[in-house]
Amino acid sequence: MKNKNQILNPIFIVCLMTLLLNDFYLKQTFSNILTGKISDFVGLIVFPIFIAYIFPNTKKWISIATAILFIIWKTPIVTPIIETINQILPLKVQRAIDYSDYWALIVLPIAHKIINQDRKLTFNSSKLLKFSKIGVASLSFFAICATSMPPPVEIPKGTIYIGEEYTIKKTKEETIEMIKSLGYNVDFYKNLEDSTTIKKYRSRNIPYYQTDNIVIYDDNSKPIDTILNVKYTLYEPKENRTKIEIINVTLSEDGNIQKWQTLKYLRKQYKKTMEKQVIEKLK
């Protein structure tokens, strides 16, 4: 007997609500490893149950098919397909290759059991049952689509404090020459008196270096963004070792980011960007 009420299962509803909360709030607010894993764990319950609801004849094998698709989705094999989709469609698909996400597969037996259980839900009104299932199914479809779409983010304007220090196995002069070899300027200034992003306990009257117009590239070496300037300090704690501390990055002169959640999120994003675009090339 076909059971088409599994979409109203309490576990499914909780996972669906968690998926929406995570993708539309937690990821933008905290943007950490946990928020990334939450989508995988709850998504692997929501997706097969939703498919089994739409296509009841798949209920015996949809969990296995979901596992196979998930494993393939997390590999570089589908990268050309994603790139083709993103070139053709106005909506963009995003995917992170992280093999630790395979741990989420342990929840698939839960989804399989919910799909194939014989338990039925009883409603006083058949219309209420029908509309409830339609509503949850529509929300499920939206959540499944949204979790693979990059969130619409307004291009930030202003200065973002980074405050991260790295060690380069080169002298200070060699480090400066390496930055210049990447095609960037290295200008020296006596103090940061005009900065508003340095921590209060630090003096603004410190010497710093500034590099302008750092171009950000995607994985296909296409320019996607430009950092107006980055301020940093350089000093040699010992021979052939240079400490570089990235103080802040400025995205545009006309802007002031006020919301601390946004600043926290952007700090993580641009910290990773600077590591990938500059620091890794210096090491």
Side-chain angles (χ1 to χ4, degrees):
M1 183 179 294
K2 297 178 181 179
N3 175 22
K4 297 199 69 174
N5 291 338
Q6 70 268 33
I7 202 169
L8 298 180
N9 185 284
I11 296 177
F12 176 83
I13 297 295
V14 169
C15 289
L16 176 59
M17 294 299 103
T18 302
L19 183 62
L20 290 168
L21 175 65
N22 187 62
D23 286 350
F24 287 94
Y25 176 72
L26 297 180
K27 279 185 177 180
Q28 283 71 35
T29 303
F30 302 103
S31 182
N32 53 33
I33 295 176
L34 180 60
T35 57
K37 302 304 181 189
I38 287 175
S39 288
D40 293 325
F41 277 85
V42 297
L44 284 176
I45 290 180
V46 171
F47 178 78
I49 295 177
F50 172 75
I51 297 300
Y53 169 74
I54 300 297
F55 306 104
N57 291 332
T58 67
K59 69 177 186 176
K60 294 295 183 183
W61 51 265
I62 187 58
S63 297
I64 296 175
T66 298
I68 296 172
L69 290 173
F70 185 77
I71 291 171
I72 296 174
W73 177 253
K74 292 293 181 176
T75 67
I77 296 175
V78 297
T79 298
I81 300 174
I82 294 174
E83 292 176 349
T84 301
I85 293 173
N86 288 340
Q87 290 175 357
I88 297 174
L89 300 179
L91 297 176
K92 304 301 179 184
V93 176
Q94 68 174 2
R95 181 277 320 258
I97 298 177
D98 184 353
Y99 298 121
S100 67
D101 292 341
Y102 290 155
W103 279 105
L105 292 170
I106 62 176
V107 304
L108 279 174
I110 299 174
H112 182 75
K113 184 175 181 179
I114 293 173
I115 292 169
N116 292 278
Q117 68 183 0
D118 295 327
R119 175 174 173 244
K120 294 185 178 181
L121 298 175
T122 303
F123 282 76
N124 293 329
S125 170
S126 60
K127 288 185 178 181
L128 177 61
L129 177 62
K130 180 179 180 180
F131 286 121
S132 296
K133 290 192 290 187
I134 292 175
V136 174
S138 300
L139 196 59
S140 302
F141 179 74
F142 171 76
I144 291 169
C145 293
T147 196
S148 295
M149 303 294 176
V153 179
E154 183 181 354
I155 298 176
K157 296 181 179 181
T159 300
I160 301 165
Y161 173 77
I162 303 296
E164 195 72 25
E165 189 175 77
Y166 306 90
T167 300
I168 309 298
K169 295 180 180 179
K170 295 179 177 66
T171 66
K172 182 177 177 180
E173 288 73 20
E174 288 173 338
T175 301
I176 291 174
E177 289 304 315
M178 278 290 296
I179 296 174
K180 290 181 178 179
S181 71
L182 296 175
Y184 299 122
N185 65 297
V186 179
D187 298 328
F188 179 75
Y189 296 89
K190 290 185 178 181
N191 60 66
L192 283 165
E193 60 185 7
D194 294 328
S195 174
T196 59
T197 59
I198 306 302
K199 290 183 178 180
K200 293 180 179 179
Y201 62 81
R202 295 185 56 183
S203 170
R204 295 180 183 177
N205 297 317
I206 59 173
Y208 72 99
Y209 294 84
Q210 179 170 308
T211 296
D212 303 317
N213 300 319
I214 297 180
V215 181
I216 307 304
Y217 298 91
D218 62 13
D219 293 335
N220 298 315
S221 299
K222 295 180 181 178
I224 57 175
D225 194 5
T226 300
I227 296 176
L228 183 63
N229 64 62
V230 54
K231 294 180 176 64
Y232 52 95
T233 61
L234 292 171
Y235 70 95
E236 292 181 83
K238 59 182 180 179
E239 188 177 358
N240 293 324
R241 290 289 189 278
T242 298
K243 292 282 188 180
I244 176 171
E245 180 186 4
I246 300 177
I247 301 169
N248 60 49
V249 297
T250 299
L251 309 179
S252 69
E253 295 288 2
D254 56 338
N256 186 14
I257 306 169
Q258 298 287 344
K259 194 174 181 182
W260 71 267
Q261 293 97 333
T262 303
L263 285 169
K264 183 178 179 181
Y265 172 78
L266 291 175
R267 179 186 179 276
K268 291 181 179 179
Q269 297 304 310
Y270 281 94
K271 172 180 170 292
K272 292 178 182 178
T273 296
M274 290 303 302
E275 290 173 349
K276 182 177 181 180
Q277 302 291 336
V278 179
I279 301 299
E280 290 180 4
K281 296 176 182 179
L282 297 178
K283 292 184 175 181

